[in-house]
Amino acid sequence: MTDSALDDTLQAQDVAAYLRRHPGFLNDFPELAAQLTLPREQGPVASLAVYQLQQLREKNAELERRLAELVSIAAENEQLMQRVHDLNVAVLRANTPAVAARSVIAKLSEDFKTDQVRLLLLGEVSLPPADWLVQFPGGRAELPEFADFLAHHEPIAGRLSAERLYRLFGDQAPSIQSTALMPLGELGILAIGSGDPDHFQPGMGTLFLKMIAATVTAALLRSQDGA
């Protein structure tokens, strides 16, 4: 039906009568309120003008909230990038693989504000004993709890089962409420634990976790090369 046909069959009075019978019409079609032209004089339409203004204020408030959230995320990402950079510098400055590994663990504990860090090594990777180091000479066969994780080669974050937590953190497991796991290729796993259940969450970005894992992997490969 064309616009001219609509003009012949539908009059302004019909629209007005319909709206009177359906006073809640704009609740179902709120976008129309922002498109209506209102007279400037005071009168019964004043409430509609107030409604339009309230709608615009709510939209502006939502846009401001989203902008503030984006600014906050950008600031956090900048801080994380600086910490990852500092981590890389610490590894480069280390004169031995053992010092490089200790530097990584220290940076993760201090700069990233984590409660527990564990490095799980598979096979014959030569590093001095440490309370944050767990070695499995038999390789993946000794870590059946993490077989699926090691197979996917992707970091994960969130809450782990009690069995997995104990395997990672031993007697400290009950204090860990959320964890980030990073695969180190064929070398092992890096685990970061927090007592805050919301510190590491499923679905969080893994870019920085991948960057950390790459740094640690490079440090471990240096130990294999005898650097």
Side-chain angles (χ1 to χ4, degrees), residues 75-215:
E76 291 178 1
N77 286 343
E78 183 178 358
Q79 293 177 357
L80 280 172
M81 184 64 74
Q82 182 61 50
R83 291 169 187 166
V84 172
H85 172 71
D86 293 343
L87 181 66
N88 291 334
V89 171
V91 170
L92 289 173
R93 286 179 174 173
N95 55 6
T96 68
V99 173
R102 287 199 302 270
S103 298
V104 167
I105 301 302
K107 283 290 184 183
L108 292 176
S109 300
E110 297 170 7
D111 294 353
F112 290 82
K113 299 178 181 179
T114 57
D115 297 316
Q116 295 289 334
V117 182
R118 291 291 185 276
L119 180 60
L120 286 70
L121 296 182
L122 306 176
E124 299 297 333
V125 181
S126 179
L127 283 179
D131 55 1
W132 43 263
L133 177 63
V134 186
Q135 302 197 56
F136 299 92
R140 294 191 181 196
E142 295 189 43
L143 283 175
E145 303 91 341
F146 297 97
D148 56 340
F149 167 72
L150 291 170
H152 288 91
H153 306 288
E154 288 291 331
I156 61 172
R159 301 186 183 187
L160 300 180
S161 66
E163 183 181 20
R164 280 185 163 188
L165 284 174
Y166 184 78
R167 185 64 126 167
L168 293 171
F169 303 106
D171 293 339
Q172 301 299 321
S175 65
I176 303 302
Q177 299 298 313
S178 63
T179 308
L181 289 182
M182 290 156 275
L184 306 176
E186 298 299 319
L187 301 178
I189 299 172
L190 179 63
I192 306 176
S194 173
D196 180 358
D198 298 321
H199 192 76
F200 299 111
Q201 300 181 28
M204 67 182 295
T206 59
L207 173 62
F208 292 107
L209 297 180
K210 290 179 180 179
M211 295 172 67
I212 293 170
T215 297

Side-chain angles (χ1 to χ4, degrees), residues 51-97:
Y51 176 80
Q52 286 180 297
L53 180 60
Q54 182 62 29
Q55 288 289 96
L56 290 175
R57 284 176 175 172
E58 290 178 357
K59 288 182 179 179
N60 286 339
E62 176 63 16
L63 289 175
E64 290 178 358
R65 185 193 67 78
R66 291 182 181 180
L67 179 59
E69 183 178 334
L70 290 174
V71 170
S72 176
I73 292 173
E76 291 178 1
N77 286 343
E78 183 178 358
Q79 293 177 357
L80 280 172
M81 184 64 74
Q82 182 61 50
R83 291 169 187 166
V84 172
H85 172 71
D86 293 343
L87 181 66
N88 291 334
V89 171
V91 170
L92 289 173
R93 286 179 174 173
N95 55 6
T96 68

